[in-house]
Amino acid sequence: MRGHHDMGGEPAGPVERTEHDYAPWEKRVDALLVLLSDRERNLIRTDELRKNIEAIGPDAYDKMSYYERWITSVTANLLQRGAITADELGRKLAEVEQREKDGLL
Amino acid sequence: MCTHHHHDHDHDHDHVHPTRPELDGPLTYHQRLEIAVRELLIEKGIVTADEVRRAIEAMDARTPAQGARIVAHAWADPAYKKKLIEEPREAVLELGVDPGVTKLVVVENTDKIHNLVVCTLCSCYPRSILGLPPDWYKSRAYRSRAVREPRKVMSEFGLEIPDDVGVRVHDSTADMRCLVLPKRPKGTEGWSEEKLASIVTRDTMIGVAEARIP
């Protein structure tokens, strides 16, 4: 079956020539990927980044922005590789949320 | 417009001013996720905050100006042009530009052939040379249609390719990135490389535009 990401040749509307300056958080996602994929760390390869992006369901894929897909994929890969655990991530996310509530972010 | 709010009442500066220049509202889930993952990686010693900062600086330094310099040199020096097409990695390195880890392919526009680059599956792009891709390059519309109706897509960018010029569309992959070597416009004879580089835009190196004398 053709994957949702595999859109070459499909009908689509006009190309909207949008551009934006990347937000700091987007640049940090990019930087994380660059670092994690270098030879020394080797914690994600381009095909793994793609595999995990392609595993995002069609609805979510269309709703997410580009770097939202990337951080989703990078996170999935770190979990798959065992570099971080779901527990650690859950705890850290709760902590980040709390810091935001406390105005510390 | 800068809307700096001036307080003219007595104001104790002992509370925390959140500094979040990138955000107007609360963090999105994915922004929280980025923070959480980055902090975990730093705590585990997998990356350092300094490495993240330096990677961002390196990314900001990669701009289409690098590609323009390569194209201008190829226009000015036929031997270099030959090398750029035959051994792109070496040729790019020769000018001090990082060719990236993937295979690099340079395709030349001529009077007979116009080349257009897309990545239908995702967003593969010669980032090490041109920097980050524009939003439209990653859009569903461009990815879907560039391979089926490239002439129509290019005309939406204001580029009309005559019928007697063939169009080749190159679908990049995770392992292979394409850079278009645009045609040198007539009337640029005797120009310095610097002046030549000034008319080589990002879009000419993707293939949705031609280099023109302004």
Side-chain angles (χ1 to χ4, degrees):
Chain A
M1 202 189 86
R2 186 170 172 138
H4 183 67
H5 64 283
D6 186 4
M7 56 186 76
E10 295 284 316
V15 179
E16 285 176 38
R17 291 170 64 182
T18 49
E19 312 208 8
H20 82 291
D21 287 332
Y22 290 99
W25 82 271
E26 294 178 302
K27 290 188 177 187
R28 291 196 300 264
V29 172
D30 203 282
L32 284 181
L33 179 78
V34 168
L35 293 171
L36 292 172
S37 61
D38 70 12
R39 245 170 234 169
E40 174 200 336
R41 276 163 276 242
N42 190 24
L43 280 168
I44 186 165
R45 295 186 311 266
T46 309
D47 61 296
E48 290 174 305
L49 176 72
R50 261 192 47 198
K51 179 196 75 183
N52 286 314
I53 287 176
E54 289 164 9
I56 296 169
D59 287 349
Y61 185 99
D62 283 340
K63 275 187 201 131
M64 284 183 199
S65 72
Y66 186 71
Y67 280 108
E68 287 177 350
R69 286 179 216 144
W70 272 35
I71 190 63
T72 301
S73 173
V74 167
T75 306
N77 215 69
L78 289 169
L79 291 167
Q80 288 156 8
R81 293 277 201 107
I84 61 175
T85 68
D87 267 6
E88 289 169 335
L89 182 62
R91 252 181 282 130
K92 185 53 109 173
L93 271 170
E95 183 203 310
V96 169
E97 215 164 320
Q98 191 55 50
R99 267 156 51 204
E100 188 189 6
K101 273 190 199 138
D102 296 343
L104 296 173
L105 270 183
Chain B
M1 198 182 84
C2 176
T3 53
H4 191 88
H5 190 68
H6 286 276
H7 298 265
D8 37 28
H9 56 270
D10 283 335
H11 191 90
D12 284 334
H13 268 269
D14 56 3
H15 61 275
V16 180
H17 277 268
T19 49
R20 236 201 262 160
E22 61 200 346
L23 299 163
D24 295 326
L27 293 175
T28 64
Y29 168 73
H30 292 95
Q31 287 168 337
R32 282 200 297 273
L33 186 58
E34 180 275 322
I35 295 171
V37 168
R38 175 167 42 88
E39 291 186 356
L40 275 178
L41 291 170
I42 291 171
E43 283 166 20
K44 286 169 173 280
I46 296 173
V47 303
T48 67
D50 195 50
E51 284 173 324
V52 175
R53 183 186 57 75
R54 275 186 281 133
I56 291 172
E57 280 173 7
M59 177 197 321
D60 285 341
R62 291 188 285 263
T63 73
Q66 293 193 131
R69 196 155 57 82
I70 293 165
V71 169
H73 191 51
W75 281 350
D77 179 350
Y80 182 77
K81 181 164 111 176
K82 188 165 180 282
K83 182 169 184 182
L84 183 62
I85 291 163
E86 289 171 1
E87 300 170 88
R89 289 185 67 84
E90 290 71 16
V92 162
L93 272 170
E94 198 177 306
L95 293 192
V97 176
D98 172 14
V101 293
T102 49
K103 182 180 168 157
L104 178 65
V105 175
V106 175
V107 287
E108 183 187 10
N109 286 349
T110 65
D111 292 335
K112 300 256 180 289
I113 291 290
H114 179 89
N115 295 282
L116 178 70
V117 178
V118 64
C119 173
T120 62
L121 292 175
C122 44
S123 59
C124 298
Y125 186 77
R127 303 159 43 110
S128 64
I129 298 174
L130 300 183
L132 301 178
D135 289 344
W136 55 260
Y137 186 84
K138 307 179 286 191
S139 71
R140 171 167 289 272
Y142 186 74
R143 287 165 53 190
S144 301
R145 293 177 51 229
V147 286
R148 184 182 286 272
E149 40 185 12
R151 287 175 195 268
K152 191 148 178 258
V153 168
M154 287 188 281
S155 79
E156 285 165 27
F157 281 82
L159 176 62
E160 304 290 343
I161 301 296
D163 288 342
D164 62 343
V165 175
V167 170
R168 264 185 212 149
V169 182
H170 304 267
D171 197 353
S172 314
T173 70
D175 307 309
M176 186 271 288
R177 309 297 158 94
C178 282
L179 184 76
V180 174
L181 174 57
K183 242 179 9 170
R184 179 173 177 168
K186 291 192 176 65
T188 57
E189 295 78 13
W191 283 25
S192 69
E193 283 189 30
E194 202 181 356
K195 197 170 173 196
L196 287 171
S198 73
I199 60 168
V200 182
T201 63
R202 177 196 67 203
D203 288 2
T204 68
M205 295 178 277
I206 302 175
V208 293
E210 275 179 327
R212 287 185 204 287
I213 299 176

